[in-house]
């Protein structure tokens, strides 16, 4: 088992009240409550803690407690025993109201004051906006009017805003402006749940805690980088939302850019929030803005038709509930980006994400330059591209380094083998929901894993040219990939044109033991 560093004894989160807007929705039962239970179990939640649910549904506090008690039977982590749940239930309250109704915010304020007294939460509050984006700004405005956003020297107020943060560059700028009329930047915690994933946080540790990695991490040794976030699910019950978003908006300026910036950023001078975020922002600013011609050449969009995944048939996107039968919304996108700085000049970053693909997998694959091949010229070995470092984000969690080795025998034959680090084997299985660290960080005032206004805007700036070109030239020929494939054909052409190919994820599964001969 790994050894913990002595400094890693964590402090408890500050006393506080958490107000969940949209508390009757999915996020509360699936992620927030289970994550809070895990934090309590680890001893990281203050005893002086309480939750107030706020939403439109008619319910009393008792009914809300009963609802959550029933839901936790399905969604609770194994750490939630009866005793712990009893402790939780006693500190859960409910306020019913319309997000636009000032009177409801007065009721909320009265409840907060009562709860603060009951649970000695010391006046610290954080509001979690688990609501549709159109409510972000109105809720913050109403909170401000009700005097629920003020801070003093003795207590804090923070607001967690879910994604999507804006719909394009202009709306993101506008939303930032509206929020900052009421809140200061340091009160705003823009969440991206990818940053709650252990494997994503580990990218920084892996790069900066190991002296063997950093010297290789640049254009001298790296040929290109592939970032994949493939899903087998379709749009599920979110057709209406997805029709207005599409794969580009839904996944790229947020989740994929987190993976990209953590992979590409310069070492920060500390793990302080702004030190890290400055370095991430630098990368976003260094991405070359694609011209309209480059958008057409280097960016691929797709939409799934019907198909089969793991033997099960699935309908086309256009037949999903709440999707227009002639929809042109993309469910797949692949892009080639260039980061124009000294570390990465001329190293392409290929990104791809899509729904209803062949396999659920998120990974960052670093492809190193090939070694000089002269020595092997007279052997049956044909392909000199051997070295890949793959950071497996999900569902497998770990890192593997692929290299060439001689296959035993009297002829010189090259096999590809992996050195693997496997999170669950080496650290034990984690029951984390991915929200623990983010909620905890908000309670201790650490914004490192949250998005700053300028980062959100820089992310949108990069994809705005795509949004513009795609709007002007609606896709033709959708659907263009069957469910269960790896996307449209053009996505392979994108790399082939550069003399490269996508990593064959299915053939090179994490932990595969049999060396694949390349000769
Ligand atoms: C969400 C997107 O932000 O991330 C979804 O809106 C997507 O469409 C999801 O399915 C992917 O998250 P994860 O953690 O399952 O990779």
């Amino acid at each position: 088992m790994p050894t913990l560093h002595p400094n890693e004894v964590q402090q408890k989160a500050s006393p506080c009240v958490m107000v969940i807007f949209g508390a009757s929705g999915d996020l509360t039962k699936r992620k927030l409550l289970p994550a809070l239970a895990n934090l309590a179990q680890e001893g990281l939640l203050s005893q002086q803690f309480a939750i107030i649910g706020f939403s439109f549904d008619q319910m009393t506090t008792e009914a809300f407690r009963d609802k959550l008690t029933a839901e936790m039977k399905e969604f609770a982590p194994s750490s939630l025993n009866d005793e712990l749940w009893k402790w939780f239930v006693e500190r859960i309250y409910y306020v019913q109201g319309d997000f636009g109704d000032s009177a409801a915010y007065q009721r909320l304020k009265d409840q907060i004051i009562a709860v603060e007294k009951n649970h000695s939460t010391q006046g610290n509050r954080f509001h979690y906006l688990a609501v549709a984006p159109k409510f972000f700004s109105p809720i913050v405005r109403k909170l401000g009017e009700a005097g629920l956003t003020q801070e003093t020297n003795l207590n804090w107020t923070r607001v967690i805003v879910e994604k999507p943060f804006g719909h394009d560059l202009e709306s993101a700028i506008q939303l930032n402006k509206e929020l900052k009329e009421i809140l200061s930047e340091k009160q705003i915690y823009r969440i991206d749940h990818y940053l709650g994933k252990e494997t994503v946080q580990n990218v920084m540790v892996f790069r900066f805690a190991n002296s063997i990695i950093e010297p290789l991490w640049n254009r001298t040794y790296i040929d290109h980088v592939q970032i994949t976030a493939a899903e087998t699910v379709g749009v599920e019950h979110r057709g209406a939302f997805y029709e207005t978003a599409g794969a580009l908006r839904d996944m790229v300026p947020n989740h994929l850019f987190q993976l990209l910036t953590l992979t590409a950023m310069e070492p920060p001078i500390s793990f302080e929030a702004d030190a890290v975020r400055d370095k991430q922002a630098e990368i976003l600013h260094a991405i070359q803005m694609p011209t309209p011609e480059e958008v057409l050449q280097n960016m691929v969009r797709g939409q799934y038709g019907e198909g089969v995944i793991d033997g099960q048939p699935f309908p086309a996107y256009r037949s999903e509930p709440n999707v227009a039968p002639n929809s042109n919304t993309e469910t797949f996108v692949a892009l080639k980006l260039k980061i124009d700085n000294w570390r990465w000049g001329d190293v392409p970053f290929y990104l791809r994400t899509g729904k209803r693909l062949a396999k659920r997998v998120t990974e960052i694959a670093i492809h190193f330059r090939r070694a000089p091949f002269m020595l092997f010229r007279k052997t049956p070995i044909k392909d000199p591209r051997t070295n890949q470092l793959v950071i497996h984000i999900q569902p497998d969690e770990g890192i593997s380094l692929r290299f060439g080795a001689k296959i035993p025998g009297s002829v010189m034959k090259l096999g590809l083998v992996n050195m693997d680090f496997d999170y669950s084997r080496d650290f034990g299985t984690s029951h984390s929901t991915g929200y623990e660290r983010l909620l905890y960080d908000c309670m201790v005032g650490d914004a490192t894993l949250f998005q700053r206004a300028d980062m959100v805007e820089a992310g949108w700036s990069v994809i705005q040219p795509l949004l513009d070109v795609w709007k002007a030239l609606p896709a033709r020929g959708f659907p263009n990939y069957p469910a269960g494939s790896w996307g449209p054909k053009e996505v392979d052409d994108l790399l082939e044109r550069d003399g490269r190919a996508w990593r064959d994820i299915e053939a090179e599964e994490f932990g595969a033991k049999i060396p694949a001969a390349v000769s």
Side-chain angles (χ1 to χ4, degrees):
M1 287 299 276
T3 358
L4 279 184
H5 192 271
N7 289 342
E8 287 166 3
V9 179
Q10 270 180 297
Q11 64 175 107
K12 264 191 200 306
S14 319
C16 61
V17 177
M18 173 183 187
V19 180
I20 307 176
F21 286 83
S24 54
D26 262 15
L27 196 70
T28 307
K29 64 182 183 207
R30 285 179 192 275
K31 302 289 184 188
L32 302 182
L33 257 289
L36 290 167
N38 280 335
L39 285 175
Q41 182 60 29
E42 287 173 56
L44 293 175
L45 211 54
S46 168
Q47 286 291 325
Q48 295 146 269
F49 175 73
I51 300 170
I52 301 176
F54 181 101
S55 77
F56 189 65
D57 295 306
Q58 284 290 352
M59 244 187 300
T60 59
T61 286
E62 274 318 307
F64 186 51
R65 289 177 175 182
D66 290 348
K67 173 178 173 324
L68 289 176
T69 304
E71 287 167 349
M72 281 310 106
K73 297 210 162 51
E74 186 180 350
F75 296 106
S78 51
S79 59
L80 187 64
N81 54 39
D82 288 350
E83 201 187 332
L84 186 57
W85 182 243
K86 187 166 171 290
W87 180 85
F88 258 107
V89 153
E90 285 167 359
R91 55 203 66 236
I92 295 178
Y93 300 84
Y94 186 75
V95 174
Q96 188 279 332
D98 185 313
F99 298 144
D101 174 17
S102 302
Y105 289 78
Q106 277 313 317
R107 292 200 299 278
L108 175 63
K109 189 174 185 177
D110 294 344
Q111 182 67 273
I112 291 177
I113 292 168
V115 164
E116 285 180 340
K117 215 157 140 213
N118 272 354
H119 298 279
S120 314
T121 54
Q122 300 183 3
N124 298 322
R125 303 157 182 179
F126 76 106
H127 304 285
Y128 197 116
L129 307 191
V131 296
K134 65 176 181 198
F135 295 119
F136 294 161
S137 187
I139 289 176
V140 168
R141 185 159 299 282
K142 288 283 176 208
L143 283 171
E145 283 168 14
L148 285 170
T149 54
Q150 287 145 6
E151 296 187 299
T152 69
N153 285 343
L154 299 175
N155 51 47
W156 49 260
T157 298
R158 299 176 185 136
V159 178
I160 298 189
V161 187
E162 267 289 338
K163 76 175 267 277
F165 196 94
H167 186 69
D168 54 13
L169 177 59
E170 197 187 328
S171 58
I173 292 174
Q174 179 64 22
L175 181 54
N176 274 329
K177 183 171 159 286
E178 287 169 10
L179 297 187
K180 288 207 253 179
E181 281 165 10
I182 314 288
L183 301 163
S184 68
E185 176 63 31
K186 74 174 187 30
Q187 292 179 284
I188 307 172
Y189 284 64
R190 299 173 193 79
I191 203 164
D192 181 323
H193 79 276
Y194 259 52
L195 286 175
K197 296 181 194 288
E198 286 290 349
T199 41
V200 175
Q201 293 164 26
N202 187 44
V203 175
M204 267 198 290
V205 175
F206 177 68
R207 285 190 56 198
F208 302 131
N210 298 298
S211 61
I212 57 170
I213 305 301
E214 194 50 22
L216 305 180
W217 211 257
N218 55 54
R219 66 198 299 271
T220 313
Y221 296 99
I222 294 178
D223 178 71
H224 72 282
V225 177
Q226 297 181 8
I227 300 182
T228 300
E231 299 184 278
T232 50
V233 291
V235 284
E236 301 174 291
H237 55 279
R238 300 195 309 152
F241 157 74
Y242 203 82
E243 279 284 89
T244 64
L248 179 63
R249 288 188 170 93
D250 191 38
M251 294 292 289
V252 177
N254 32 63
H255 306 327
L256 291 197
F257 280 2
Q258 297 302 345
L259 303 182
L260 174 83
T261 53
L262 291 174
T263 305
M265 72 187 201
E266 293 302 311
I269 53 166
S270 75
F271 278 140
E272 292 291 311
D274 279 334
V276 174
R277 299 188 299 179
D278 284 347
K279 296 297 173 196
Q280 287 184 280
E282 265 174 22
I283 292 297
L284 294 169
H285 289 298
I287 296 177
Q288 286 178 35
M289 296 288 275
T291 61
E293 291 71 33
E294 283 166 340
V295 169
L296 294 175
Q297 208 189 346
N298 294 336
M299 319 288 169
V300 177
R301 54 186 156 166
Q303 186 194 77
Y304 61 84
E306 56 185 21
V308 176
I309 305 177
D310 287 338
Q312 206 191 325
F314 287 99
Y317 174 71
R318 288 177 175 181
S319 308
E320 301 276 14
N322 299 320
V323 170
N326 57 351
S327 169
N328 264 334
T329 302
E330 82 285 353
T331 59
F332 178 97
V333 57
L335 351 164
K336 172 180 164 182
L337 295 175
K338 287 201 169 165
I339 299 172
D340 201 10
N341 66 11
W342 278 88
R343 189 187 283 266
W344 297 114
D346 299 325
V347 177
F349 282 69
Y350 301 99
L351 277 52
R352 61 177 167 172
T353 181
K355 297 212 179 272
R356 287 269 190 257
L357 297 181
K359 192 175 179 332
R360 174 174 176 246
V361 60
T362 303
E363 64 168 43
I364 304 165
I366 313 291
H367 292 245
F368 289 91
R369 290 191 187 283
R370 72 174 187 81
F373 204 53
M374 194 184 60
L375 277 177
F376 299 98
R377 211 180 277 155
K378 291 192 179 138
T379 69
I381 295 168
K382 292 284 170 295
D383 188 346
R385 284 172 299 191
T386 49
N387 296 138
Q388 274 177 26
L389 185 121
V390 184
I391 302 177
H392 303 273
I393 308 288
Q394 62 187 19
D396 302 319
E397 299 185 318
I399 296 178
S400 50
L401 176 65
R402 195 175 74 152
F403 56 93
K406 180 181 172 300
I407 298 178
S410 43
V411 183
M412 181 68 108
K413 272 196 163 184
L414 182 69
L416 294 180
V417 289
N418 281 339
M419 274 198 305
D420 290 330
F421 151 57
D422 180 337
Y423 251 90
S424 60
R425 183 195 61 207
D426 297 330
F427 288 108
T429 315
S430 151
H431 299 290
S432 156
T433 63
Y435 277 71
E436 288 79 358
R437 169 80 192 267
L438 299 172
L439 291 173
Y440 174 82
D441 281 1
C442 179
M443 291 187 257
V444 298
D446 181 350
T448 311
L449 298 179
F450 293 85
Q451 299 301 287
R452 224 170 39 191
D454 60 313
M455 295 165 75
V456 171
E457 291 172 16
W460 280 114
S461 309
V462 173
I463 67 155
Q464 190 61 47
L466 278 80
L467 295 174
D468 293 341
V469 172
W470 286 2
K471 190 169 169 208
L473 297 173
R476 276 184 289 171
F478 275 6
N480 60 353
Y481 70 96
S485 68
W486 282 100
K489 187 191 157 301
E490 293 79 9
V491 77
D492 291 327
D493 302 342
L494 180 67
L495 270 77
E496 262 166 39
R497 279 202 300 272
D498 297 343
R500 302 185 175 102
W502 290 101
R503 204 174 93 78
D504 186 345
I505 292 177
E506 282 171 295
E508 294 165 26
E509 282 213 12
F510 182 51
K513 289 285 168 277
I514 305 157
V518 293
S519 58

